Amino acid sequence: ALGSKMRYPENNMYLVDQPLISNYKMLDYMKVIDPYKDGKMPLMLQMLNALQKKFGYYDNVKSGVCGPMTCALSLRDAGMFLRDLRKEPDQVHKLLQFSVECIKAWMKVVYDEFGCVCSIADPASSMDLIGKKHFEIFSKPYLMQLVEWTKEYTGRSPSIHICGKSRKIWEDLRAIGFSSFSVDNCEDLLELKQVLGKDMAISGNVPPVDILRNGDVYAVMQSVRECIEKAADSPRGYLLSAGCQIPLGTSKENLMAYVYAARKYGANAVKGKGCR
């Protein structure tokens, strides 16, 4: 929507081919996105509207946004961006603030049109990519700004998912004030419940590749059961989910086994008290 060139492989997720920002002076001339006009966002709004008409009797449609760090990383070459955290921190802050304004523009339209509070996915804030120090300096202030704006505009707090290692920043996520946290399968659900369960809902974390795509139906059912046994009694609630995005190539049989196991082992669930 802002001008980065994308690549759309036939059998994989789309990805940034040529990031937009080669020089931070470009920020002086860039305008915040208009979801009704820019990029594929008008098409996405049409799709959301069609889904709402078809499935609105069942549930509201959902939408998500990337976090400020992830948005910035899609506008600037990844290697350069990570270098800039040390070499040009002031410019990084400027880019992050611009990213926040763009994210808010989409969140506002989706809430106004569909009543949806967007979830946030921020893989660029993973401890596999940046350290805790850089998270506290560059990511946390803008996530906090985004959460505070969302609460003021919608009356609700958004959820967040962070890929990879995140244990070092769990206390920071509590301080920021998210409504729930979806954790990657490389972290332990039981530990997450013990640390954050009293403050926010938790979600996770069936391994998407090793189990959902590459395992059989029995491995899927066993993993679902283990997740529910660990986390179903989390005080603020637990939502079963994959540890990250379900990969292309996951079989229909494994997805059906996932749903079947959720119904079987999650029967008679009571928030904060677990299942039958």
Side-chain angles (χ1 to χ4, degrees), residues 1 6 8 35 37-47 106:
M6 310 297 293
Y8 300 90
K37 296 180 180 179
D38 294 334
K40 292 195 173 184
M41 286 184 289
L43 176 62
M44 292 168 67
L45 290 173
Q46 292 177 29
M47 292 161 57
W106 174 258

Side-chain angles (χ1 to χ4, degrees), residues 24-209:
Y24 282 110
K25 290 182 179 179
M26 297 174 68
L27 282 171
D28 296 334
Y29 308 100
M30 290 173 60
K31 294 182 179 180
V32 172
I33 55 162
D34 181 347
Y36 292 109
K37 296 180 180 179
D38 294 334
K40 292 195 173 184
M41 286 184 289
L43 176 62
M44 292 168 67
L45 290 173
Q46 292 177 29
M47 292 161 57
L48 284 166
N49 188 55
L51 288 166
Q52 184 65 51
K53 288 180 178 178
K54 187 172 181 64
F55 297 107
Y57 72 94
Y58 177 72
D59 198 2
N60 291 328
V61 294
K62 304 294 192 295
S63 179
V65 292
C66 58
M69 282 285 283
T70 304
C71 181
L73 201 60
S74 68
L75 293 170
R76 177 81 164 149
D77 174 79
M80 294 297 293
F81 182 78
L82 294 174
R83 187 213 68 162
D84 294 342
L85 299 180
R86 295 179 291 104
K87 300 279 189 178
E88 299 192 65
D90 291 343
Q91 297 297 334
V92 172
H93 282 294
K94 189 175 179 180
L95 176 56
L96 287 166
Q97 186 60 53
F98 178 76
S99 298
V100 167
E101 299 307 318
C102 290
I103 294 165
K104 283 159 57 175
W106 174 258
M107 294 180 78
K108 182 179 185 299
V109 167
V110 172
Y111 181 76
D112 291 345
E113 296 278 354
F114 305 103
C116 167
V117 177
C118 289
S119 59
I120 299 171
D122 202 13
S125 287
S126 169
M127 294 296 97
D128 291 327
L129 187 65
I130 61 172
K132 180 171 170 56
K133 179 181 176 182
H134 280 152
F135 176 85
E136 292 174 344
I137 295 172
F138 295 103
S139 187
K140 184 177 179 179
Y142 298 96
L143 285 172
M144 188 169 288
Q145 183 184 147
L146 198 55
V147 168
E148 289 174 353
W149 176 87
T150 305
K151 289 164 69 174
E152 181 179 338
Y153 193 79
T154 70
R156 290 179 281 170
S157 180
S159 62
I160 188 167
H161 171 78
I162 295 178
C163 305
K165 293 289 184 181
S166 60
R167 177 63 183 88
K168 292 180 180 179
I169 59 171
W170 286 358
E171 299 293 344
D172 296 286
L173 300 181
R174 186 209 313 274
I176 292 169
F178 291 105
S179 61
S180 67
F181 174 46
S182 166
V183 70
D184 198 301
N185 54 281
C186 63
E187 301 287 11
D188 183 58
L189 262 182
L190 180 59
E191 185 180 9
L192 178 66
K193 178 184 73 174
Q194 293 166 344
V195 175
L196 293 183
K198 292 181 180 179
D199 301 288
M200 66 179 74
I202 61 173
S203 180
N205 71 350
V206 177
V209 176

